Every structure is written in structure tokens, then in C-alpha cells.
Amino acid sequence: ITASVTVGQPITFAVPVFNSNNLTATTGLPAGLSLNATTGLLTGTPSQVGNFTANLTASNSIGSAQGSLLIRVLPLTPVFTNPSAATAYRGASFTFTFNATNSPASYSATGLPAGLSLNATTGVVTGIVAGSADAPVETITANLTAFNGATGFGTLFITILGRPVVSAPPPLTTTVGTAFSHQIEATNATGYGTSTALPCW
């Protein structure tokens, strides 16, 4: 007889036994669970992950019999908590950490862009994205797995950009003491800055 339950989750399991008016577990019940001798119901909230063998004794007015119940207490399924999207640049360093609940023991990913690799223990993706900086923008889907005895799945969409290209504006004219505004246009840019000083405003 086998019962599969999840750690930290309350359960009610009817032990299949016949012609018995008294069922006891002599040894082996996981912490947090108890067996009702009259109803044969196993109830409670298991507090420890693992496989446990409970030794049972069923009896009635005629006699008794022994048996065993294998109780598999499974861990809670990992759930990814990261954003489901990230941005990378060809030819540039990239770092991303997969985070998941319920203490994954290992991570794996399929579909990562060329040049990137995953540390299976820490869930950290690092590397330099391969390919020409002049290649068009693309979005790659990475399928994620986190494992701790149970398996959680997730998806990360990685948008890969080339180098930013600024559209050169014509010479700009303004008048001292008056308000000025101009929108800088650039492709593949997620932020803007200046390499030389702007005039004082």
C-alpha cells in the first residue's frame, strides 16, 4: 500500500483494510500524521520530506494481521518568482538569476541563446550573447525547470538587441533663456546618456 502526500499540506487518507475494527501503526508514521484506530483514517500535516514505512496491525475478535504502508512525503513544487522577460545585447555580458520558491536543489534551462550558460546549482545565467551586433532584434524562449524532488516549470522570453544606433539629428538651434526640447531617436536603446557635457540650461 502506498500513499503520496505533500509536506506542509493537510491530508486525509483511508487505509484500505477489511474485517478490522482496530488498526494501529506500531512504527514508522511521519511526524505530523496520526492513524485513527477505529476508522482507519490517516490524517494530519506531514512536516518532513521523505519515504516512510508505517508498520500496521489490524485486528478483530478472531485475530490480527500485519501489513505495511509506504508513505511518500513529497516537497512543495518550486514556483518561479522572476519576471518572465529579460533583455540582452549581442556581444555584451549578460547575467540573470532564476529565483524559485520551496528551495530548488537544481535548475535547468533549454533554449538559452548561444553564448549563455546556466549554473545548475545557483540558477544564475551568465555569458556573452553570441552573434553580430548588426543582426535584427529577436526574442528567444527559454524553458526553465527547477527541481527539489518535485518539479516546477517556467518560461523566460529573452529579447536580443544589437548595438544602439543614434539617428544623427540636424544641427539644432535655440535661443539663450528660452525653453528647449528635442527627442533623441535611437534603435535598440533602453536608456540614454551623454558622453560630453550639454549646455547649461
Side-chain angles (χ1 to χ4, degrees):
I1 305 170
T2 301
S4 294
V5 300
T6 303
V7 68
Q9 303 296 305
I11 64 108
T12 298
F13 177 81
V15 178
V17 62
F18 305 97
N19 302 322
S20 172
N21 54 26
N22 188 71
L23 180 65
T24 58
T26 54
T27 58
L29 279 182
L33 299 185
S34 61
L35 181 64
N36 186 302
T38 303
T39 64
L41 289 178
L42 182 67
T43 60
T45 302
S47 59
Q48 183 179 357
V49 173
N51 294 327
F52 303 85
T53 299
N55 296 305
L56 308 177
T57 298
S59 60
N60 59 21
S61 59
I62 298 176
S64 63
Q66 282 71 45
S68 62
L69 172 65
L70 175 60
I71 304 171
R72 301 184 185 277
V73 184
L74 305 175
L76 289 168
T77 300
V79 177
F80 285 99
T81 58
N82 289 70
S84 59
T87 300
Y89 293 88
R90 291 184 181 85
S93 297
F94 177 84
T95 300
F96 187 89
T97 302
F98 295 131
N99 294 319
T101 62
N102 301 320
S103 303
S106 63
Y107 295 84
S108 65
T110 59
L112 287 175
L116 301 184
S117 61
L118 169 69
N119 184 309
T121 302
T122 64
V124 178
V125 176
T126 56
I128 296 176
V129 181
S132 169
D134 296 322
V137 174
E138 64 177 321
T139 298
I140 290 181
T141 301
N143 297 306
L144 318 176
T145 303
F147 182 77
N148 65 354
T151 304
F153 300 95
T155 302
L156 177 67
F157 300 99
I158 304 176
T159 300
I160 303 179
L161 306 176
R163 69 168 69 91
V165 177
V166 177
S167 300
L172 303 176
T173 302
T174 185
T175 302
V176 67
T178 62
F180 174 81
S181 176
H182 178 79
Q183 176 65 50
I184 302 297
E185 301 293 340
T187 61
N188 301 332
T190 59
Y192 294 84
T194 58
S195 59
T196 57
L198 291 171
C200 295
W201 302 101

